[in-house]
Amino acid sequence: MGVTIYALVYDSSPASMQQILIIVNDAPYGSERLFNALRLAIQLNELENPPAKVNMFLLSDAVTAVLPKQTPAEGYNIQQMLEIILAQGSEVKYCGTCVNARGLQELAVIEGCEVSTMDALAQWVLTADKAITF
């Protein structure tokens, strides 16, 4: 009588990675929605079995998160957290229309964050396995 051993093997190639899209609408400070979205993104990026590819799209007042050198009174720093997820391989895009509506289009942004469009967000939604909004 033989023993059968089963092993669960995860395919960690980029094509097999679960695609997760996080969409944030709230300002970086005042509520903790963006903070919690970034905490989740960092955690998901650290998963190995199964691996995940996390992208983040910032809309409405959340676009102000891409402005560098903010000095928050709270105990967390959104710029540092954005830089962490960028270093982990996430893409961070923000709404160009939202930036223009707030008169922020000429300001510098955190390196690695990319101005984008609703068309790009729509494509991300269609290719994501899961979309989460904050």
Side-chain angles (χ1 to χ4, degrees):
M1 188 154 67
V3 176
T4 303
I5 300 174
Y6 295 97
L8 184 57
V9 178
Y10 291 101
D11 180 357
S12 62
S13 65
S16 71
M17 294 178 95
Q18 193 167 162
Q19 302 292 315
I20 300 174
L21 172 60
I22 299 176
I23 303 169
V24 186
N25 290 284
D26 278 8
Y29 300 101
S31 85
E32 292 186 351
R33 286 190 177 131
L34 180 56
F35 169 65
N36 286 322
L38 286 163
R39 289 176 55 215
L40 177 60
I42 290 167
Q43 196 64 39
L44 287 168
N45 279 329
E46 291 177 355
L47 291 178
E48 293 180 13
N49 293 319
K53 167 73 167 115
V54 179
N55 291 321
M56 184 171 285
F57 200 98
L58 306 174
L59 291 164
S60 296
D61 288 338
V63 299
T64 61
V66 301
L67 301 176
K69 301 177 185 172
Q70 296 184 50
T71 53
E74 288 103 37
Y76 56 90
N77 186 301
I78 294 297
Q79 179 173 348
Q80 288 176 343
M81 295 176 83
L82 282 168
E83 289 169 344
I84 289 168
I85 69 166
L86 287 164
Q88 290 176 322
S90 289
E91 290 182 61
V92 176
K93 295 183 179 183
Y94 59 96
C95 173
T97 302
C98 302
V99 167
N100 292 342
R102 287 156 181 77
L104 305 174
Q105 64 272 18
E106 299 300 321
L107 297 178
V109 300
I110 296 168
E111 186 176 338
C113 296
E114 179 185 337
V115 67
S116 195
T117 64
M118 273 300 194
D119 286 341
L121 175 57
Q123 286 301 311
W124 269 4
V125 168
L126 291 173
T127 59
D129 295 307
K130 293 183 178 133
I132 305 165
T133 60
F134 283 83

